[in-house]
């Protein structure tokens, strides 16, 4: 390609001599653009020997993206997409194009000199990288994007390439990282693998892949979070760079086929300590002291749950150990849950109003004073004829006052990974019940549960006597890991029995699929895996035990049809099958109404 200026070159020995100075210069450029002097990313300095402008623009681009978007969230999406069998090379090429398209308009408005650096970098890319660009589809897309920018016009491209260019360039108006992720996902699924969604899942299912799944195939690496962080750093660096070959393929997470074999993990004391640290890091610091946790575990973790542990937390968003990817993912899921609420707020508000009215009517009937004959109270004139004629001295009506303060409700929500495709819907269901109970003044608690290794995490969204504003925390619902339903139900009714109210109700929102692996602690007896019929029977036993203690238990089922029989075995006749949120208040309200009226 003809050029009107000479590209600066440096010999290898000159780069070696000046590498430290060059690194400082480029990092200063990165920090100046991003405004974040703690930003620590690896810069590609090797390209400087061919073109200083390519290196400079890489630094500018990384800084701009860090300032206006979230590279870690985007990188984690890339890792998860590849884990689900996406092709790394085209995905990374596409992601780089989208990163540049989204970041450049922001930084160009702020710093006018960036346009000239980009122009020079694009000229050098065309000179030095044209052959490599022609070897792939997205390389060809890049070629035309570079040419069009330099010539301020549109070179003739195929219809397929031009449609992709148009979609990528629409990111010039991107407002957040999710806009970029959606574009990458849509273009990849349309251009590279049209069967991806059918085979491996939608964008929702990609994002729902848990950190546990990413490193399940090698627990030693998994427990050491630095392994995953290193992979993330490689992707973060490569996303902003023009060189896609920097990611070491052997280090990337990969999905390995299930062997259907042993799911018992044998851990030593050091590994168990790492598990606890991981739980704390990714679910939030416990609100119980270590001594309190040990006392609870000693009391409740017995029988089928021997050697297991309970972990009580208010969630990573309220008591985090540090701001990591899981914290950011929790924020993102909170936003998505609220978006679902706003999109369906009329249906949800109507459900709340209907459920509130049903419960209020039942309580009004319940609160009507009863009258019985007595020897004191309010005199009934029509009975005066009995004086001196009969031995009946009950000439009065004795008024028996009732109140609603003898009801308490616990809402227990299955937060395992099997709920990942319906997280927003499950959060909305919990919110509807909580709002209705708040409207009529019944104390209630809402807790989500999931199990990671041998820790069953009890995430408290609101407690019994919290203000109704705490109901909003239910939208922090996030699905991950496994579920040991029997232990979660046991832990819930144990606390519920400590309440003074006479009438206690437990509502369990689940998918009828209790399932958990087993961690073999040193010296443990290694009981059987918590899955299948064994797990269903154990969960059903805990439900029956709760009912034997006088607690009314309702199962709200929102799973798949094939798990319906398991739900019936667990909850018997007292379960509700919710196919659509529009029927939610009527089904749940009918059950609660019956519990209120049966005790009259």
């Amino acid at each position: 390609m003809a050029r009107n200026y000479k590209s600066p070159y440096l010999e290898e020995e000159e780069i070696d001599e000046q590498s430290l100075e060059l690194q400082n210069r480029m990092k200063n450029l990165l920090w100046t653009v991003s405004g974040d002097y703690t930003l620590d990313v690896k810069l590609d300095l090797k390209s400087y020997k061919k073109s200083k402008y390519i290196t400079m623009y890489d630094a500018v681009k990384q800084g701009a993206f860090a300032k206006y978007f979230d590279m870690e969230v985007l990188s984690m999406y890339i890792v998860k997409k590849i884990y689900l069998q996406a092709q790394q090379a085209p995905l990374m090429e596409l992601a780089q194009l989208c990163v540049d398209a989204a970041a450049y308009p922001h930084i160009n408005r702020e710093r006018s000199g960036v346009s000239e650096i980009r122009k020079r970098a694009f000229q050098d890319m065309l000179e030095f990288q044209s052959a490599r660009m022609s070897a792939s589809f997205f390389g060809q897309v890049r070629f035309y994007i570079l040419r069009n920018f330099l010539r301020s016009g549109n070179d003739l491209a195929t219809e397929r390439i031009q449609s992709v260019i148009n979609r990528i360039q629409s990111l010039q108006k991107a407002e957040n990282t999710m806009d970029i992720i959606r574009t990458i996902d849509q273009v990849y699924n349309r251009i590279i693998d049209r069967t991806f969604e059918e085979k491996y899942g939608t964008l929702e299912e990609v994002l729902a892949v848990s950190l546990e799944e990413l490193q399940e195939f090698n627990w030693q690496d998994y427990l050491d979070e630095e392994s995953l962080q290193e992979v993330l750093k490689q992707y973060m660096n490569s996303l902003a760079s023009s060189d896609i070959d920097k990611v070491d393929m052997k280090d990337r997470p990969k999905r390995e086929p299930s062997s259907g074999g042993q799911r018992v993990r044998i851990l030593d004391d050091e590994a168990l300590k790492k598990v606890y640290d991981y739980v704390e890091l990714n679910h939030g610091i416990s609100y119980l002291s270590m001594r309190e946790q040990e006392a609870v575990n000693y009391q409740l973790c017995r029988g089928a749950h021997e050697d297991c542990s309970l972990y009580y937390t208010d969630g990573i968003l309220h008591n985090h150990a540090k701001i990591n990817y899981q914290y950011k993912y929790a924020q993102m899921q909170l936003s998505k849950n609220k978006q679902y609420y706003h999109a369906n707020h009329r249906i949800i508000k109507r459900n709340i109003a209907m459920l509130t009215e049903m419960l209020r009517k039942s309580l009004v009937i319940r609160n009507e004073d009863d009258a019985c004959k007595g020897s004191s109270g309010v005199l009934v004139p029509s009975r005066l004829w009995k004086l001196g004629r009969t031995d009946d001295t009950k000439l009065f009506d004795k008024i028996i006052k009732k109140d609603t303060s003898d009801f308490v409700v616990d809402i227990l929500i299955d937060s395992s990974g099997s709920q990942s495709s319906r997280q927003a819907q499950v959060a909305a269901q919990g919110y509807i019940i909580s709002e209705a109970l708040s409207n009529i003044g019944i104390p209630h608690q809402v807790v989500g549960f999931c199990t990671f290794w041998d820790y069953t995490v009890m995430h408290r969204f609101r407690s019994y006597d919290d203000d109704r504003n705490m109901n909003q925390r239910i939208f922090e619902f996030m699905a991950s890991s496994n579920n040991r339903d029997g232990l979660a139900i046991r832990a819930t009714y144990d606390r519920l029995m400590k309440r003074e109210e006479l009438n206690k109700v437990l509502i369990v929102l689940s998918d009828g699929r209790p399932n958990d692996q087993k961690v073999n602690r040193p010296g443990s007896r290694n009981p059987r895996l918590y899955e299948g019929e064994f797990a269903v029977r154990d969960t059903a036993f805990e439900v029956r035990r709760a009912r034997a203690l006088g607690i009314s238990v309702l199962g709200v089922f929102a799973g798949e049809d094939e798990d319906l029989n398991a739900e019936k075995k667990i909850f018997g006749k007292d379960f509700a099958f919710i196919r659509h949120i529009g029927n939610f208040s009527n089904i749940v309200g009918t059950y609660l109404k019956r519990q209120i009226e049966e005790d009259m």
Side-chain angles (χ1 to χ4, degrees):
M1 177 179 176
R3 299 164 54 82
N4 55 12
Y5 74 98
K6 184 178 181 180
S7 178
Y9 290 88
L10 289 176
E11 298 298 330
E12 191 71 40
E13 58 270 18
E14 291 181 284
I15 289 184
D16 291 338
E17 292 174 4
Q18 301 175 27
S19 60
L20 184 58
E21 179 187 353
L22 177 60
Q23 183 175 4
N24 288 335
R25 286 170 56 197
M26 293 301 107
K27 282 203 169 184
N28 282 329
L29 179 59
L30 172 82
W31 291 335
T32 300
V33 171
S34 67
D36 181 3
Y37 289 86
T38 65
L39 190 61
D40 181 23
V41 296
K42 184 179 179 181
L43 295 169
D44 178 22
L45 303 180
K46 292 183 179 180
S47 62
Y48 197 88
K49 66 182 178 181
K50 290 186 176 180
S51 168
K52 72 176 182 180
Y53 295 109
I54 294 178
T55 305
M56 290 172 65
Y57 187 62
D58 278 347
V60 169
K61 188 165 52 177
Q62 288 204 52
F65 197 88
K67 181 173 184 177
Y68 298 106
F69 301 97
D70 194 323
M71 185 65 81
E72 187 175 354
V73 169
L74 176 57
S75 301
M76 185 60 83
Y77 157 76
I78 297 290
V79 171
K80 291 180 176 183
K81 186 83 171 176
I82 293 172
Y83 167 79
L84 292 176
Q85 305 302 304
Q87 299 175 42
Q88 174 175 274
L91 184 64
M92 291 297 294
E93 284 186 293
L94 171 59
Q96 289 173 2
L97 294 171
C98 291
V99 163
D100 183 50
Y104 173 68
H106 287 283
I107 197 62
N108 188 48
R109 284 193 294 268
E110 185 176 314
R111 299 179 181 276
S112 58
V114 168
S115 178
E116 182 62 23
I117 295 175
R118 191 181 198 233
K119 176 183 176 182
R120 296 292 185 92
F122 279 13
Q123 288 173 333
D124 286 348
M125 287 180 195
L126 285 174
E127 177 168 336
F128 300 119
Q129 300 174 6
S130 290
R132 195 170 77 176
M133 289 182 201
S134 64
S136 67
F137 175 79
F138 288 116
Q140 296 172 46
V141 171
R142 181 192 293 271
F143 176 84
Y144 281 101
I145 289 176
L146 301 184
R147 287 270 294 262
N148 292 340
F149 176 78
L150 293 174
R151 297 183 179 184
S152 300
N154 289 325
D155 276 355
L156 188 62
T158 66
E159 182 178 347
R160 186 165 179 249
I161 288 177
Q162 191 58 51
S163 67
V164 172
I165 291 174
N166 293 341
R167 188 70 182 88
I168 291 172
Q169 290 180 337
S170 70
L171 288 174
Q172 293 173 3
K173 298 180 180 179
E175 296 181 357
N176 52 55
T177 311
M178 274 307 300
D179 289 341
I180 301 171
I181 290 174
R182 276 189 286 269
T183 295
I184 296 172
D185 207 68
Q186 290 167 5
V187 173
Y188 179 91
N189 292 350
R190 181 164 63 88
I191 299 297
I192 302 301
D193 187 353
R194 290 179 177 270
T195 66
F196 187 91
E197 285 196 7
E198 181 182 348
K199 290 180 179 177
Y200 308 114
T202 63
L203 175 58
E204 296 286 324
E205 291 169 304
V206 172
L207 296 175
V209 171
S210 67
L211 299 183
E212 295 93 302
E213 292 174 279
L214 290 179
Q215 301 244 7
E216 180 79 47
F217 66 93
N218 188 334
W219 67 265
Q220 293 285 3
D221 288 341
Y222 169 54
L223 293 178
D224 183 2
E225 197 181 60
E226 292 178 3
S227 174
L228 181 57
Q229 290 300 320
E230 182 57 35
V231 174
L232 276 178
K233 281 186 178 180
Q234 290 187 53
Y235 279 104
M236 288 167 68
N237 293 332
S238 188
L239 276 171
S241 169
S242 61
D243 184 2
I244 69 167
D245 297 326
K246 291 190 296 179
V247 178
D248 189 348
M249 291 288 288
K250 68 180 177 63
D251 287 336
R252 71 181 178 91
K254 56 184 177 181
R255 191 180 201 177
E256 299 203 351
S258 174
S259 63
Q262 188 65 285
R263 289 168 59 243
V264 174
R265 306 293 180 174
I266 303 175
L267 305 183
D268 56 23
D269 289 330
E270 182 180 354
L272 288 169
K273 175 61 169 60
K274 287 184 177 180
V275 173
Y276 182 88
D277 291 343
Y278 178 90
V279 172
E280 187 177 73
L281 189 64
N282 290 282
H283 292 280
I285 299 170
S286 175
Y287 57 77
L288 296 183
S289 68
M290 190 63 71
R291 177 173 293 182
E292 289 172 323
Q293 289 183 77
E294 289 174 355
V296 169
N297 291 334
Y298 178 78
Q299 177 188 355
L300 299 177
C301 297
R302 297 174 178 270
H305 311 292
E306 189 171 357
D307 298 319
C308 295
S309 303
L310 286 156
Y311 187 87
Y312 294 87
T313 176
D314 285 324
I316 192 172
L317 293 179
H318 299 284
N319 202 4
H320 56 271
K322 75 174 185 178
I323 296 179
N324 58 358
Y325 170 77
Q326 193 73 357
Y327 178 90
K328 294 177 181 178
Y329 181 75
Q331 287 183 315
M332 185 171 67
Q333 187 59 49
L334 169 61
S335 176
K336 289 166 66 176
N337 291 346
K338 286 189 172 181
Q339 286 174 12
Y340 176 86
Y341 168 79
H342 291 304
N344 297 274
H345 73 279
R346 289 178 180 165
I347 296 175
I348 293 172
K349 288 286 188 183
R350 184 168 68 249
N351 271 265
I352 293 170
M354 291 172 60
L355 184 54
T356 299
E357 189 61 23
M358 290 178 71
L359 298 181
R360 182 173 283 131
K361 285 181 179 179
S362 296
L363 288 173
V364 166
I365 295 173
R366 178 184 173 81
N367 287 346
E368 290 178 351
D369 294 339
D370 279 345
C372 64
K373 292 180 180 180
S375 55
S376 62
V378 179
L379 179 65
V380 180
S382 61
R383 297 179 191 157
L384 291 175
W385 65 270
K386 297 181 180 181
L387 284 173
R389 294 186 176 90
T390 69
D391 294 330
D392 187 359
T393 60
K394 295 180 179 180
L395 308 178
F396 301 84
D397 271 350
K398 186 174 182 180
I399 307 300
I400 301 175
K401 295 283 186 181
K402 294 182 179 179
D403 67 72
T404 62
S405 61
D406 56 354
F407 270 91
V408 63
V409 177
D410 247 280
I411 304 166
L412 183 63
I413 307 177
D414 174 6
S415 305
S416 65
S418 58
Q419 298 276 46
S420 59
S421 62
R422 46 184 174 268
Q423 293 176 86
Q425 294 91 328
V426 172
Q429 291 175 355
Y431 180 73
I432 289 169
I433 302 175
S434 187
E435 279 289 284
L437 293 174
S438 293
N439 286 339
I440 58 177
I442 290 182
H444 61 285
Q445 178 172 255
V446 184
V447 173
F449 73 94
C450 67
T451 302
F452 168 67
W453 295 70
D454 62 344
Y455 283 91
T456 292
V457 179
M458 306 292 286
H459 180 176
R460 180 177 63 182
F461 298 109
R462 62 153 291 146
S463 192
Y464 300 105
D465 303 312
D466 282 339
D467 184 88
R468 71 175 305 144
N469 292 331
M470 294 292 283
N471 295 345
Q472 290 289 331
R473 285 197 178 187
I474 299 172
F475 290 112
E476 296 170 13
F477 175 83
M478 181 174 63
S480 69
S481 306
N482 301 311
N483 52 310
R484 185 169 281 264
D485 296 41
L487 180 56
I489 291 172
R490 180 187 294 182
T492 302
Y493 72 63
D494 178 74
R495 289 203 163 194
L496 192 54
M497 287 303 296
K498 294 180 173 65
R499 296 286 298 184
E500 295 180 355
E501 290 84 358
L502 179 62
N503 301 290
K504 300 174 175 63
V505 179
L506 171 58
I507 301 174
V508 184
L509 277 65
S510 72
D511 63 359
R513 192 187 297 177
N515 186 48
D516 187 29
Q517 64 185 357
K518 179 60 189 170
V519 172
N520 191 352
R521 293 169 177 263
S524 71
R525 293 182 299 175
N526 190 22
R528 62 191 298 181
L529 297 176
Y530 196 79
E531 61 183 4
E533 188 64 25
F534 172 70
V536 169
R537 284 202 310 268
D538 175 72
T539 306
F541 171 78
E542 295 299 341
V543 169
R544 290 195 299 271
R545 190 176 180 191
R547 286 172 177 160
L549 292 171
I551 298 172
S552 300
V553 183
L554 169 68
V556 177
F557 178 71
E560 304 298 333
D561 287 357
E562 58 264 30
D563 297 314
L564 194 54
N565 287 333
E567 187 82 354
K568 291 178 181 178
K569 289 179 181 179
I570 292 171
F571 295 102
K573 64 181 178 63
D574 287 329
F575 85 96
F577 187 9
I578 309 297
R579 290 188 179 274
H580 188 272
I581 197 170
N583 301 323
F584 185 79
S585 62
N586 186 52
I587 295 173
V588 175
T590 299
Y591 175 82
L592 291 176
K593 180 174 179 289
R594 186 169 75 241
Q595 300 310 308
I596 293 172
E597 294 176 354
E598 279 183 356
D599 193 58
M600 290 174 55

